[in-house]
Amino acid sequence: DEFSCYVTRRGEELGRGEHETAYFFGQRMRETLGLANMSHDYFTSPLREPVHTRIVQRFFLELWERGAFERQELPAYWCPRCERHLYEAEVRGKCQFCAAPSDGFYCEECGLPQDSAGVTEARCTRCWQEPELTTLKRIVFPLDRYRDALREHYAGRPMRPRLRKYLDDMLSRPLPATTISRSADYGVPVPLPEWSGHILDTWYSGIWGYVAATVAHGTATGDGDRALASWQDDRTRIFEFIGFDCSFSHALLWPALFLAHGGLRLPEQVVTNEFYRLEGDKFSTSRGHAIWGNEFLRRVSSDELRFYLCLTGPERE
């Protein structure tokens, strides 16, 4: 997720630029996978692969031309001291729904998306001052248009109890309109002249990043066009394995984007897991609160670790 605003925040904490930060953690991920004797068919690096930006912008424009998005003037946090709008990793407060500590978009505890300026007791994560409330024009995806289609898609599909409860609750009432753009310098630019200075949010771009990765892999092996077409092939089956906190993007937003585009294969099944806890708090790589695999795997064999994870992996709690 190299275009994420978490890359900028983590880079500032380490005294590094975004590209250097993304490369450093990408290499550490590859090292961890190697120590665990796990190999991917393809490991994508969006900052160094032009196909990523090209695919993300291509599908945005196709959806834009289909009338899938709206323009709205929405509340936004503004930090006068840092002279920037605050979004997701740039603002910290409490979830407006469950009051758990939360950054400015998805609550990692309850999985619900915050309003565009919804977290309470907000603070800028750079200077830790309270921001001002202003307004900002945003591109918005009216998710509720696809609520009935999503309910029909998930009816009768097996899933873990917490995700089932989450989807039943979300689909029983109007779904929130979801912002997909923001004012920022770092990210994939909105490919429209009138939206200069705005980038496409990585939660929106994520699914197109998966598409881009398959195209890059297909191109490397000789057939990028067929890889792209596979997303529309009736024989294709997509399974997603995620942390519960990503339920909104993977199980609601991304399938709805596919429905809006038309013809793309929705996930057969979304499999969630819960967080391990460390000293009572959940593991969090973005907050540096975790046991790091590339350190642990130097002391323990990958077979032993995999067996232990199979026994203790938090699937339901």
Side-chain angles (χ1 to χ4, degrees), residues 120-137:
T120 62
E121 300 180 23
R123 293 290 186 273
C124 170
T125 56
R126 182 182 290 166
C127 68
W128 295 105
Q129 299 299 305
E130 184 177 357
E132 298 175 354
L133 197 60
T134 182
T135 59
L136 179 69
K137 71 171 184 175

Side-chain angles (χ1 to χ4, degrees), residues 16 57 74 93 102 121 128 182 237 250 299:
R16 301 179 178 184
Q57 291 181 330
L74 295 172
S102 178
E121 300 180 23
W128 295 105
R182 56 188 291 254
R237 302 180 71 196
H250 288 65
R299 306 197 306 269

Side-chain angles (χ1 to χ4, degrees), residues 42 213-225 227:
Y42 192 75
T214 60
V215 172
H217 177 246
T219 301
T221 55
D223 200 342
D225 290 339

Side-chain angles (χ1 to χ4, degrees), residues 75-130:
Y77 286 125
W78 168 260
C79 179
R81 182 171 181 176
C82 300
E83 296 185 328
R84 64 173 186 166
H85 288 101
L86 306 179
Y87 182 78
E88 196 174 359
E90 299 152 353
V91 60
R92 177 79 56 77
K94 291 184 177 180
C95 172
Q96 67 189 95
F97 302 106
C98 72
S102 178
D103 290 346
F105 202 4
Y106 294 127
C107 173
E108 293 186 340
E109 193 64 38
C110 70
L112 294 175
Q114 310 298 297
D115 294 338
S116 56
V119 292
T120 62
E121 300 180 23
R123 293 290 186 273
C124 170
T125 56
R126 182 182 290 166
C127 68
W128 295 105
Q129 299 299 305
E130 184 177 357

Side-chain angles (χ1 to χ4, degrees), residues 13-202:
E13 293 168 354
L14 297 173
R16 301 179 178 184
E18 287 101 346
H19 285 243
E20 182 184 359
T21 302
Y23 179 79
F24 172 78
F25 284 102
Q27 290 299 104
R28 193 159 80 171
M29 292 173 193
R30 291 173 186 261
E31 178 186 53
T32 301
L33 293 168
L35 290 167
N37 291 310
M38 298 171 66
S39 60
H40 284 62
D41 292 313
Y42 192 75
F43 191 103
T44 184
S45 299
L47 280 171
R48 296 187 295 281
E49 295 175 355
V51 66
H52 178 88
T53 294
R54 187 172 74 247
I55 292 290
V56 167
Q57 291 181 330
R58 168 184 165 173
F59 280 96
F60 168 81
L61 288 172
E62 291 177 358
L63 286 163
W64 180 268
E65 290 164 3
R66 286 172 166 82
F69 302 129
E70 299 174 351
R71 304 173 181 87
Q72 291 187 16
E73 193 82 14
L74 295 172
Y77 286 125
W78 168 260
C79 179
R81 182 171 181 176
C82 300
E83 296 185 328
R84 64 173 186 166
H85 288 101
L86 306 179
Y87 182 78
E88 196 174 359
E90 299 152 353
V91 60
R92 177 79 56 77
K94 291 184 177 180
C95 172
Q96 67 189 95
F97 302 106
C98 72
S102 178
D103 290 346
F105 202 4
Y106 294 127
C107 173
E108 293 186 340
E109 193 64 38
C110 70
L112 294 175
Q114 310 298 297
D115 294 338
S116 56
V119 292
T120 62
E121 300 180 23
R123 293 290 186 273
C124 170
T125 56
R126 182 182 290 166
C127 68
W128 295 105
Q129 299 299 305
E130 184 177 357
E132 298 175 354
L133 197 60
T134 182
T135 59
L136 179 69
K137 71 171 184 175
R138 307 283 287 277
I139 299 173
V140 172
F141 180 57
L143 186 59
D144 196 55
R145 291 181 188 174
Y146 310 95
R147 179 159 51 118
D148 290 342
L150 289 168
R151 187 188 296 116
E152 181 180 350
H153 173 68
Y154 286 120
R157 292 184 185 272
M159 59 184 65
R160 289 183 173 153
R162 192 178 180 198
L163 179 62
R164 170 60 68 191
K165 182 179 179 181
Y166 179 88
L167 290 177
D168 286 348
D169 176 59
M170 293 294 289
L171 295 171
S172 70
R173 50 193 167 85
L175 293 170
T178 304
T179 54
I180 69 160
S181 73
R182 56 188 291 254
S183 175
D185 298 325
Y186 182 69
V188 176
V190 175
L192 297 168
E194 65 270 30
W195 288 86
S196 176
H198 290 250
I199 59 97
L200 293 168
D201 180 75
T202 48

